[in-house]
């Protein structure tokens, strides 16, 4: 036996204490106490199998012993954590009287922030997921570049069989992009556009500072951003204050020929007002990923607008694999008594 080893007969008491307490410290709180955690998946039912697998993998990585179910009627009083989406079946939270946290699978809080059956003492978290953020940045940057380089006009020329004579392509530094909403997603999109050289204007309800962005707030600041922007990106939460923020009055303040990208919330746009602005040329084009009614009705005017691109709410889909890591981390934190990630403010709605 080498000198660095301690024989069983001669091991001191501290050695056994290290083995016992060291192993306990490496376990999750649930494993250390022997108590099993109970979680309810209350998301989109058709994605349960996908989320079940991803959650089990994430729980295993975190050493969490979690019993996961999607059955709302199965011992609701035993549920510790609720994994929620507004397109899921859960509308009444009152049977889940012992829930410790409700975790949204979306960045927004529709269907839950103002739900009277959810006690305000129960923490509510938003989904802030790297993949969701990356997807939004790619969607916004791609469509900003499409407008900036006049790709729609070039596509129409191609379809008409015309060789369109033009001067040199514009540079990003010659184009102003306004972003309404400088939260997690808006801030990330702003960063990407700044890196490309665009002049970026940002607006939020309350004062904010964001490196490389000319930041404005409040009603006066909103008008300033609308007047300066060649392209306007909407990444606003769904709140009473942002409902129909793009309306006849605000559209009249926009720079003539503005292009609008809405990948935030459909509630932010007065759709009739936008149709009028598209007809009269105030707005040269719109890329819309979200709507007040989804799927968009077949008789809606947007379908007939040649300058409107409709995408089916795909800008920032929650991806199960990465989202479940966030869910598992928050359960681990809650069980360990640590601060939760991405706690929402139910008063502001984000």
């Amino acid at each position: 036996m080498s000198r660095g080893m301690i024989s069983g007969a001669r091991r001191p008491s501290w050695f056994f204490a290290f083995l016992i307490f060291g192993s306990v410290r490496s376990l999750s709180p649930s494993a250390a106490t022997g108590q099993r955690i109970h979680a309810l998946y209350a998301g989109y039912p058709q994605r349960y199998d996908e989320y079940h697998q991803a959650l089990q993998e994430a729980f295993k990585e975190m050493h969490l012993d979690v019993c996961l179910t999607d059955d709302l009627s199965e011992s609701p009083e035993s549920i510790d954590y609720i994994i929620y989406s507004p397109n899921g079946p859960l509308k009444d939270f009152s049977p889940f009287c012992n829930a410790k946290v409700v975790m949204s699978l979306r960045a927004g809080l529709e269907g839950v922030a103002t739900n009277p059956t959810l006690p305000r003492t129960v923490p509510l978290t938003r989904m802030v997921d790297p993949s969701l953020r990356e997807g939004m940045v790619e969607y916004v940057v791609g469509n900003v570049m499409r407008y900036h380089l006049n790709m729609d006009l070039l596509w129409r020329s191609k379809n008409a069989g015309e060789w369109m004579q033009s001067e040199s392509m514009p540079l990003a530094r010659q184009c102003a992009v306004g972003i309404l909403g400088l939260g997690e997603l808006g801030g990330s999109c702003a960063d990407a556009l700044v890196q490309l050289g665009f002049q970026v204007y940002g607006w939020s309800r309350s004062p904010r500072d964001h490196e490389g962005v000319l930041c404005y707030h409040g009603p006066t600041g909103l008008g300033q951003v609308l007047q300066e922007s060649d392209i306007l990106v909407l990444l606003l939460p769904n709140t009473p204050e942002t409902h129909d923020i793009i309306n006849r009055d605000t559209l009249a303040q926009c720079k003539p020929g503005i292009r609008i990208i809405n990948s935030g919330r459909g509630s932010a746009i007065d759709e009739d007002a936008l149709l009028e602005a598209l007809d009269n040329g105030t707005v040269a084009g719109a890329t819309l990923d979200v709507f007040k009614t989804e799927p968009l009705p077949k008789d809606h005017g947007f379908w007939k607008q040649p300058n409107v691109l409709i995408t089916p709410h795909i800008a920032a889909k929650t991806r199960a694999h990465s989202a479940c890591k966030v869910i598992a981390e928050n359960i681990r934190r809650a069980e360990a008594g640590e601060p939760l990630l991405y706690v929402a403010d139910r008063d502001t709605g984000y």
Side-chain angles (χ1 to χ4, degrees):
M1 182 176 67
S2 68
R3 292 183 180 181
M5 298 178 64
I6 302 174
S7 66
R10 297 170 58 187
R11 286 172 179 162
S13 59
W14 60 261
F15 182 84
F16 296 101
F18 172 80
L19 288 179
I20 295 170
F21 292 108
S23 62
V24 170
R25 286 172 61 87
S26 68
L27 297 175
S28 68
S30 59
T33 61
Q35 296 178 350
R36 197 167 198 201
I37 300 167
H38 294 265
L40 171 71
Y41 172 85
Y44 188 49
Q46 282 76 0
R47 296 191 69 184
Y48 178 61
D49 289 343
E50 175 188 4
Y51 270 95
H52 185 275
Q53 179 177 348
L55 282 166
Q56 294 295 0
E57 291 174 359
F59 294 151
K60 184 177 180 180
E61 288 181 11
M62 293 285 178
H63 305 289
L64 294 169
D65 182 16
V66 180
C67 176
L68 180 66
T69 182
D70 65 340
D71 188 346
L72 273 63
S73 62
E74 183 182 333
S75 303
E77 70 282 353
S78 69
I79 296 298
D80 300 301
Y81 300 96
I82 298 174
I83 302 161
Y84 173 84
S85 178
N87 58 3
L90 180 57
K91 309 301 178 188
D92 182 4
F93 289 86
S94 54
F96 303 93
C97 53
N98 294 312
K100 299 175 183 179
V101 185
V102 173
M103 293 171 282
S104 176
L105 287 170
R106 292 190 177 181
L109 301 174
E110 292 87 348
V112 64
T114 59
N115 191 314
T117 68
L118 179 62
R120 297 184 72 86
T121 53
V122 178
L124 174 62
T125 63
R126 300 178 297 114
M127 177 51 64
V128 179
D129 162 33
S131 294
L132 187 150
R133 185 188 301 115
E134 290 167 20
M136 182 64 79
V137 169
E138 291 173 11
Y139 181 94
V140 168
V141 170
N143 283 293
V144 166
M145 291 300 297
R146 180 181 126 244
Y147 281 139
H148 170 58
L149 298 174
N150 285 317
M151 299 307 292
D152 291 0
L153 180 59
L154 293 168
W155 185 254
R156 286 195 291 270
S157 296
K158 178 264 180 188
N159 286 340
E162 298 176 353
W163 181 275
M164 189 180 76
Q165 296 290 342
S166 66
E167 299 179 359
S168 57
M169 300 297 278
L171 298 175
R173 58 183 169 81
Q174 300 171 306
C175 179
V177 180
I179 298 179
L180 305 189
L182 287 175
E184 294 280 347
L185 298 179
S188 296
C189 291
D191 291 339
L193 292 168
V194 167
Q195 287 293 316
L196 287 170
F198 287 95
Q199 306 169 47
V200 180
Y201 293 78
W203 181 86
S204 53
R205 285 178 53 203
S206 55
R208 280 180 184 257
D209 288 321
H210 198 98
E211 185 176 357
V213 178
L214 294 168
C215 295
Y216 295 85
H217 68 278
T220 303
L222 176 61
Q224 186 72 28
V225 172
L226 297 177
Q227 292 165 24
E228 296 291 343
S229 300
D230 298 301
I231 301 168
L232 185 69
V233 179
L234 308 184
L235 285 168
L236 294 162
N238 181 16
T239 69
E241 292 77 15
T242 61
H243 185 81
D244 283 350
I245 196 169
I246 299 302
N247 53 52
R248 287 179 178 85
D249 291 337
T250 51
L251 285 167
Q253 300 177 55
C254 291
K255 180 185 288 190
I258 195 171
R259 274 88 168 221
I260 295 175
I261 300 168
N262 187 15
S263 50
R265 293 290 177 265
S267 60
I269 292 180
D270 178 335
E271 294 177 347
D272 290 335
L274 179 56
L275 282 167
E276 290 176 12
L278 286 160
D279 285 335
N280 64 34
T282 301
V283 175
T287 295
L288 307 174
D289 187 58
V290 288
F291 308 88
K292 286 183 174 174
T293 301
E294 294 183 8
L296 188 67
K298 293 185 177 181
D299 60 351
H300 198 288
F302 285 149
W303 290 112
K304 300 176 183 178
Q305 280 287 340
N307 293 337
V308 171
L309 173 63
I310 294 170
T311 58
H313 205 142
I314 58 171
K317 286 287 189 182
T318 302
R319 291 159 172 82
H321 180 71
S322 54
C324 289
K325 292 180 182 293
V326 178
I327 294 294
E329 171 62 15
N330 257 344
I331 291 179
R332 185 202 67 76
R333 285 170 172 259
E335 291 294 300
E338 299 175 10
L340 296 170
L341 298 173
Y342 318 124
V343 176
D345 184 334
R346 293 176 67 179
D347 292 325
T348 62
Y350 52 89

